[in-house]
Coordinates of all heavy atoms in Angstrom, one line a residue:
E13 N 3.2 -12.6 5.3 CA 2.4 -11.4 5.5 C 3.2 -10.1 5.4 O 4.4 -10.1 5.8 CB 1.7 -11.5 6.9 CG 0.6 -12.6 6.9 CD -0.1 -12.6 8.2 OE1 0.3 -12.0 9.2 OE2 -1.2 -13.2 8.3
Y14 N 2.6 -9.1 4.9 CA 3.2 -7.8 4.7 C 2.2 -6.7 5.3 O 1.0 -6.9 5.0 CB 3.5 -7.5 3.3 CG 4.4 -8.5 2.7 CD1 3.9 -9.6 2.0 CD2 5.8 -8.3 2.7 CE1 4.8 -10.5 1.5 CE2 6.7 -9.2 2.1 CZ 6.2 -10.3 1.5 OH 7.0 -11.2 1.0
S15 N 2.7 -5.7 5.9 CA 1.8 -4.6 6.4 C 1.9 -3.4 5.5 O 3.1 -3.1 5.1 CB 2.2 -4.3 7.9 OG 1.9 -5.4 8.7
F16 N 0.8 -2.7 5.3 CA 0.8 -1.5 4.5 C -0.1 -0.5 5.1 O -1.1 -0.8 5.8 CB 0.2 -1.8 3.1 CG 1.0 -2.8 2.3 CD1 0.7 -4.2 2.4 CD2 2.0 -2.4 1.4 CE1 1.4 -5.1 1.6 CE2 2.7 -3.3 0.7 CZ 2.4 -4.7 0.8
E17 N 0.3 0.8 4.9 CA -0.5 1.9 5.3 C -1.3 2.3 4.1 O -0.7 2.5 3.0 CB 0.4 3.1 5.7 CG -0.4 4.3 6.1 CD 0.4 5.5 6.5 OE1 1.7 5.4 6.7 OE2 -0.1 6.6 6.7
I18 N -2.6 2.5 4.3 CA -3.4 3.0 3.2 C -3.3 4.5 3.1 O -3.6 5.2 4.0 CB -4.9 2.7 3.4 CG1 -5.1 1.2 3.5 CG2 -5.8 3.2 2.3 CD1 -6.5 0.7 3.9
L19 N -2.7 5.0 2.0 CA -2.5 6.4 1.8 C -3.6 7.1 1.1 O -3.9 8.3 1.4 CB -1.2 6.6 0.9 CG 0.1 6.2 1.5 CD1 1.2 6.5 0.5 CD2 0.4 6.8 2.8
D20 N -4.3 6.4 0.2 CA -5.4 7.1 -0.5 C -6.3 6.0 -1.2 O -5.8 4.8 -1.3 CB -4.8 8.0 -1.6 CG -5.8 9.0 -2.2 OD1 -6.9 9.1 -1.6 OD2 -5.4 9.7 -3.1
A21 N -7.5 6.4 -1.6 CA -8.4 5.5 -2.3 C -9.0 6.2 -3.4 O -9.3 7.4 -3.3 CB -9.4 4.9 -1.4
I22 N -9.2 5.6 -4.5 CA -9.9 6.1 -5.7 C -11.0 5.2 -6.1 O -10.8 4.0 -6.2 CB -8.9 6.3 -6.9 CG1 -7.9 7.4 -6.6 CG2 -9.7 6.7 -8.2 CD1 -6.9 7.6 -7.7
E23 N -12.2 5.7 -6.3 CA -13.3 4.9 -6.8 C -13.7 5.4 -8.2 O -13.9 6.6 -8.4 CB -14.5 5.0 -5.8 CG -15.5 3.9 -6.0 CD -16.3 3.6 -4.8 OE1 -15.8 3.9 -3.7 OE2 -17.4 3.1 -5.0
T24 N -13.8 4.5 -9.1 CA -14.3 4.8 -10.4 C -15.6 4.0 -10.7 O -16.1 3.3 -9.8 CB -13.2 4.3 -11.5 OG1 -13.2 2.9 -11.5 CG2 -11.9 4.8 -11.2
D25 N -16.1 4.2 -11.8 CA -17.4 3.5 -12.2 C -17.2 2.0 -12.2 O -18.1 1.2 -11.9 CB -17.9 3.9 -13.5 CG -18.4 5.4 -13.5 OD1 -18.8 5.9 -12.4 OD2 -18.5 6.0 -14.6
E26 N -15.9 1.6 -12.5 CA -15.6 0.1 -12.6 C -15.1 -0.5 -11.4 O -15.4 -1.7 -11.1 CB -14.5 -0.1 -13.7 CG -15.0 0.3 -15.1 CD -14.9 1.7 -15.4 OE1 -14.0 2.4 -14.9 OE2 -15.8 2.2 -16.2
A27 N -14.4 0.2 -10.5 CA -13.7 -0.4 -9.4 C -13.2 0.6 -8.4 O -13.3 1.8 -8.6 CB -12.6 -1.3 -9.8
R28 N -12.7 0.1 -7.3 CA -12.1 0.9 -6.2 C -10.7 0.4 -6.1 O -10.3 -0.7 -6.2 CB -12.8 0.6 -4.9 CG -12.3 1.5 -3.7 CD -13.3 1.3 -2.5 NE -12.6 1.8 -1.4 CZ -12.3 1.0 -0.3 NH1 -12.6 -0.2 -0.3 NH2 -11.7 1.5 0.7
Y29 N -9.8 1.4 -5.9 CA -8.3 1.2 -5.8 C -7.7 1.8 -4.6 O -8.2 2.8 -4.1 CB -7.6 1.8 -7.1 CG -8.2 1.3 -8.4 CD1 -9.3 2.0 -9.0 CD2 -7.7 0.2 -9.0 CE1 -9.8 1.5 -10.2 CE2 -8.2 -0.3 -10.2 CZ -9.3 0.4 -10.8 OH -9.8 0.0 -12.0
L30 N -6.7 1.2 -4.1 CA -6.0 1.7 -2.9 C -4.5 1.9 -3.3 O -3.9 1.1 -4.0 CB -6.0 0.8 -1.8 CG -7.4 0.4 -1.2 CD1 -7.3 -0.6 -0.1 CD2 -8.1 1.6 -0.7
A31 N -3.9 3.1 -2.8 CA -2.5 3.3 -2.8 C -2.0 2.9 -1.4 O -2.4 3.5 -0.4 CB -2.2 4.8 -3.2
L32 N -1.0 2.0 -1.4 CA -0.5 1.5 -0.2 C 1.0 1.8 -0.1 O 1.7 1.8 -1.1 CB -0.7 0.0 -0.1 CG -2.1 -0.5 -0.3 CD1 -2.1 -2.1 -0.4 CD2 -3.0 0.0 0.7
L33 N 1.5 2.0 1.1 CA 2.9 2.1 1.4 C 3.3 1.1 2.4 O 2.7 1.0 3.5 CB 3.2 3.5 2.0 CG 4.6 3.9 2.1 CD1 5.3 4.0 0.8 CD2 4.7 5.3 2.8
P34 N 4.4 0.3 2.1 CA 4.8 -0.7 3.0 C 5.2 -0.1 4.4 O 5.8 1.0 4.4 CB 6.0 -1.4 2.4 CG 5.9 -1.0 0.9 CD 5.2 0.3 0.9
T35 N 4.9 -0.8 5.5 CA 5.3 -0.4 6.8 C 6.2 -1.5 7.4 O 6.1 -2.7 7.0 CB 4.1 -0.2 7.7 OG1 3.4 -1.4 7.9 CG2 3.2 0.9 7.2
F36 N 7.1 -1.1 8.3 CA 8.0 -2.1 8.9 C 8.2 -1.8 10.4 O 8.2 -0.7 10.8 CB 9.4 -1.9 8.2 CG 9.4 -2.1 6.7 CD1 9.3 -1.0 5.9 CD2 9.4 -3.4 6.2 CE1 9.2 -1.2 4.5 CE2 9.4 -3.6 4.8 CZ 9.3 -2.5 4.0
Q37 N 8.4 -2.9 11.1 CA 8.6 -2.8 12.6 C 10.1 -2.3 12.8 O 10.4 -1.6 13.7 CB 8.4 -4.1 13.3 CG 7.0 -4.5 13.3 CD 6.1 -3.7 14.1 OE1 6.5 -3.1 15.1 NE2 4.8 -3.5 13.7
D38 N 11.0 -2.8 11.9 CA 12.4 -2.5 12.0 C 12.7 -1.2 11.3 O 12.5 -1.2 10.0 CB 13.2 -3.7 11.4 CG 14.7 -3.5 11.4 OD1 15.2 -2.4 11.8 OD2 15.4 -4.4 11.0
P39 N 13.2 -0.2 12.0 CA 13.5 1.1 11.3 C 14.5 0.9 10.2 O 14.4 1.7 9.2 CB 14.1 1.9 12.4 CG 13.6 1.3 13.7 CD 13.4 -0.2 13.4
Q40 N 15.5 0.0 10.3 CA 16.4 -0.2 9.2 C 15.8 -0.7 7.9 O 16.1 -0.2 6.8 CB 17.6 -1.1 9.6 CG 18.7 -1.2 8.6 CD 19.4 0.1 8.4 OE1 19.7 0.8 9.3 NE2 19.5 0.5 7.1
K41 N 14.8 -1.6 8.1 CA 14.1 -2.1 6.9 C 13.3 -0.9 6.2 O 13.2 -0.9 5.0 CB 13.2 -3.2 7.3 CG 13.9 -4.5 7.5 CD 12.9 -5.6 7.8 CE 13.6 -6.9 8.1 NZ 12.7 -8.0 8.3
M42 N 12.8 0.0 7.0 CA 12.1 1.1 6.5 C 13.0 2.0 5.7 O 12.7 2.5 4.6 CB 11.4 1.9 7.6 CG 10.5 3.0 7.1 SD 9.7 4.0 8.3 CE 9.7 3.2 9.8
L43 N 14.2 2.2 6.2 CA 15.2 3.0 5.5 C 15.7 2.3 4.2 O 16.0 3.0 3.2 CB 16.4 3.3 6.4 CG 16.1 4.2 7.5 CD1 17.4 4.3 8.5 CD2 15.8 5.6 7.1
D44 N 15.8 1.0 4.2 CA 16.2 0.2 3.0 C 15.2 0.1 2.0 O 15.5 -0.2 0.8 CB 16.7 -1.1 3.5 CG 18.0 -1.1 4.3 OD1 18.7 -0.1 4.3 OD2 18.2 -2.1 5.1
D45 N 13.9 0.3 2.3 CA 12.8 0.1 1.4 C 12.9 1.2 0.3 O 13.2 2.3 0.5 CB 11.5 0.1 2.1 CG 10.3 -0.1 1.2 OD1 10.2 -1.3 0.6 OD2 9.5 0.8 1.0
S46 N 12.4 0.9 -0.9 CA 12.4 1.8 -2.0 C 11.3 2.9 -1.8 O 11.4 4.0 -2.5 CB 12.1 1.1 -3.3 OG 10.7 0.6 -3.3
G47 N 10.3 2.7 -1.0 CA 9.3 3.7 -0.8 C 8.3 3.7 -1.9 O 7.5 4.7 -2.0
E48 N 8.3 2.7 -2.8 CA 7.5 2.7 -3.9 C 6.0 2.4 -3.5 O 5.8 1.5 -2.6 CB 7.9 1.6 -4.9 CG 7.7 1.9 -6.3 CD 8.4 0.9 -7.2 OE1 9.6 0.9 -7.3 OE2 7.7 0.1 -7.8
L49 N 5.1 3.1 -4.1 CA 3.6 2.8 -3.8 C 3.3 1.4 -4.3 O 3.7 1.0 -5.4 CB 2.8 3.8 -4.5 CG 2.7 5.2 -3.9 CD1 1.8 6.1 -4.8 CD2 2.2 5.2 -2.5
V50 N 2.4 0.8 -3.6 CA 1.8 -0.4 -4.1 C 0.3 -0.1 -4.4 O -0.4 0.4 -3.5 CB 1.9 -1.6 -3.0 CG1 1.1 -2.8 -3.5 CG2 3.3 -1.9 -2.7
I51 N -0.1 -0.4 -5.6 CA -1.5 -0.1 -5.9 C -2.3 -1.4 -6.2 O -1.8 -2.2 -6.9 CB -1.5 0.8 -7.2 CG1 -0.8 2.1 -6.9 CG2 -3.0 1.1 -7.6 CD1 -0.6 3.0 -8.1
V52 N -3.4 -1.5 -5.5 CA -4.2 -2.7 -5.6 C -5.6 -2.3 -6.0 O -6.1 -1.2 -5.7 CB -4.2 -3.5 -4.3 CG1 -2.8 -4.1 -4.0 CG2 -4.8 -2.7 -3.2
K53 N -6.3 -3.3 -6.6 CA -7.7 -3.2 -7.0 C -8.5 -3.9 -5.9 O -8.1 -5.0 -5.4 CB -7.9 -3.8 -8.3 CG -9.3 -3.6 -8.9 CD -9.3 -4.2 -10.3 CE -10.5 -3.8 -11.1 NZ -10.4 -4.3 -12.5
V54 N -9.6 -3.3 -5.4 CA -10.4 -3.9 -4.4 C -11.6 -4.6 -5.0 O -12.3 -4.0 -5.8 CB -10.9 -2.8 -3.4 CG1 -11.7 -3.4 -2.3 CG2 -9.7 -2.0 -2.8
G55 N -11.8 -5.8 -4.6 CA -13.0 -6.5 -5.1 C -13.8 -7.0 -3.8 O -13.2 -7.0 -2.7
E56 N -15.0 -7.4 -4.1 CA -15.8 -7.9 -3.0 C -16.5 -9.2 -3.4 O -17.0 -9.3 -4.5 CB -16.9 -6.9 -2.6 CG -17.6 -7.2 -1.3 CD -18.5 -6.1 -0.8 OE1 -18.1 -5.0 -0.8 OE2 -19.7 -6.5 -0.5

């Protein structure tokens, strides 16, 4: 399991998308992370 903060959402005619940022309990892991956005497509 991985935890993410939802930063933003975009909805198009075809689908809904989320921009996520990884979150960490350990502050050192947060500092070591690349900070790269994770983008996912939402389905139901």
Side-chain angles (χ1 to χ4, degrees):
E13 293 185 341
Y14 301 89
S15 294
F16 297 90
E17 178 182 353
I18 300 172
L19 296 181
D20 198 5
I22 292 177
E23 194 156 337
T24 67
D25 292 338
E26 292 82 34
R28 184 169 163 247
Y29 304 89
L30 298 177
L32 309 173
L33 187 65
T35 63
F36 302 95
Q37 296 292 330
D38 179 356
Q40 186 60 48
K41 286 184 179 179
M42 188 179 342
L43 292 173
D44 293 341
D45 184 65
S46 68
E48 212 172 290
L49 286 179
V50 175
I51 300 172
V52 295
K53 188 175 190 175
V54 181
E56 190 173 313

